[in-house]
Amino acid sequence: MFIQPTVNEGATRVLISGPPNSFKTTSLLTWPRPIHIISYPGEKGWETIPIGKEDVIPYVWQVADATTLTGTSVVNEVERLTLEILAGKRGPVTTLAGDGLHKLYDWYYKKARFEVEGLSIDEEKKDIRAYGNPAGGAYRGLLDYLTRVLQFSVPYVVMTVWEDPERDDPKDKSKDAPTHVFPALPGKIAKRIVGEFSATVYAEVPPVADVKGNLAGTWQLRPGGKVWGVGVKAPLEIARTLPPKIPQDFTVLQKLLKGKE
């Protein structure tokens, strides 16, 4: 169904990339509530999510016997839970948060790798096919999941992902090949995923606290320095006014993108 937007909604779909311990998960709590937070299987750090609040609903993966897990079973469970949340079967939802998208990709890879196991090709070709491309494999599986989530009518979606250096020229295999930071996903998807969201920001914290003992995290909005895997979609007159960095607060980002600051 097509719609005709009548107002500037700002950033309704946001990806936060950054290294571990850069306040990515903590910053999810600045989004409008009720917020449902899926800690993707294998993701750590969910302890920063408050427990027992009616408007913050966390989902944390636990399993009694890890040896029984398969990529297919985990992917199916994640997709089922996600669709139940989006459909309102888990209660009212204003924001869906997915924490640790890089971990979810690993499960799509394991699923795709199992599916090619019986093919009469060598192991390296099986690995390549499982990693996939826009037509199949883990690449296609993750993008299909994102498409379903990002196009759903839930007001806000936010996801987190680790960061990783990517070669500027993938064909340059030299030890000193120039690199820049993008979301920690394999191959072309690391760069292409930036365009799937309204805004992709880079989370960082200073190496030392201020005089009051506080660590004030920031989001980088524009490519610069070593970080290229960021970007914000906004009308040109607003995009021109965006600062390089802002506090890790969704309300600040929204005001800027709506032209209110």
Side-chain angles (χ1 to χ4, degrees):
M1 178 180 67
F2 289 97
I3 64 169
Q4 291 183 315
T6 58
V7 296
N8 176 11
E9 296 290 348
T12 63
R13 306 294 188 260
V14 178
L15 178 65
I16 307 170
S17 75
N21 301 319
S22 56
F23 299 167
K24 296 186 301 298
T25 303
T26 300
S27 70
L28 298 177
L29 301 176
T30 66
W31 260 258
R33 304 180 186 185
I35 177 171
H36 293 246
I37 304 176
I38 304 175
S39 182
Y40 290 125
E43 177 63 6
K44 313 299 190 300
W46 59 266
E47 292 88 352
T48 61
I49 303 171
I51 305 299
K53 290 184 174 293
E54 291 185 0
D55 56 358
V56 178
I57 305 92
Y59 303 87
V60 177
W61 181 263
Q62 289 186 343
V63 62
D65 183 1
T67 63
T68 65
L69 295 179
T70 67
T72 299
S73 66
V74 173
V75 164
N76 288 346
E77 177 66 12
V78 169
E79 292 183 348
R80 181 188 65 79
L81 172 62
T82 302
L83 292 177
E84 286 182 0
I85 294 170
L86 292 173
K89 295 182 179 180
R90 297 283 183 138
V93 54
T94 300
T95 300
L96 172 67
D99 198 19
L101 195 60
H102 52 287
K103 297 291 187 178
L104 182 58
Y105 175 88
D106 291 344
W107 290 108
Y108 274 103
Y109 171 76
K110 291 176 182 178
K111 176 178 183 290
R113 186 63 175 79
F114 176 78
E115 291 171 349
V116 301
E117 188 59 41
L119 298 179
S120 299
I121 56 178
D122 62 44
E123 294 301 305
E124 183 177 354
K125 289 183 178 179
K126 290 179 183 179
D127 292 340
I128 293 173
R129 187 168 297 190
Y131 276 116
N133 55 53
Y139 184 116
R140 183 74 264 159
L142 183 67
L143 284 187
D144 284 348
Y145 173 81
L146 286 175
T147 296
R148 289 194 297 271
V149 173
L150 298 178
Q151 292 185 348
F152 212 90
S153 57
V154 63
Y156 301 100
V157 175
V158 56
M159 296 185 177
T160 72
V161 64
W162 281 0
E163 50 83 54
D164 209 24
E166 288 283 327
R167 289 186 179 91
D168 295 353
D169 180 0
K171 296 180 181 179
D172 186 350
K173 304 299 183 182
S174 64
K175 179 180 178 181
D176 299 323
T179 63
H180 285 86
V181 171
F182 284 86
L185 295 166
K188 293 181 179 179
I189 195 172
K191 297 180 179 179
R192 293 184 177 180
I193 198 171
V194 175
E196 295 289 323
F197 291 80
S198 309
T200 299
V201 301
Y202 181 78
E204 55 186 343
V205 295
V208 295
D210 61 21
V211 293
K212 296 182 179 180
N214 299 316
L215 287 172
T218 60
W219 288 335
Q220 182 172 329
L221 305 183
R222 294 178 172 180
K226 292 297 293 182
V227 179
W228 281 9
V230 295
V232 176
K233 296 180 175 70
L236 184 58
E237 63 273 14
I238 292 177
R240 287 172 172 168
T241 68
L242 294 177
K245 297 181 181 182
I246 63 171
Q248 290 188 11
D249 189 328
F250 180 65
T251 60
V252 174
L253 179 62
Q254 277 295 74
K255 288 180 180 179
L256 286 171
L257 295 182
K258 291 182 177 182
K260 295 183 178 181
E261 281 192 0

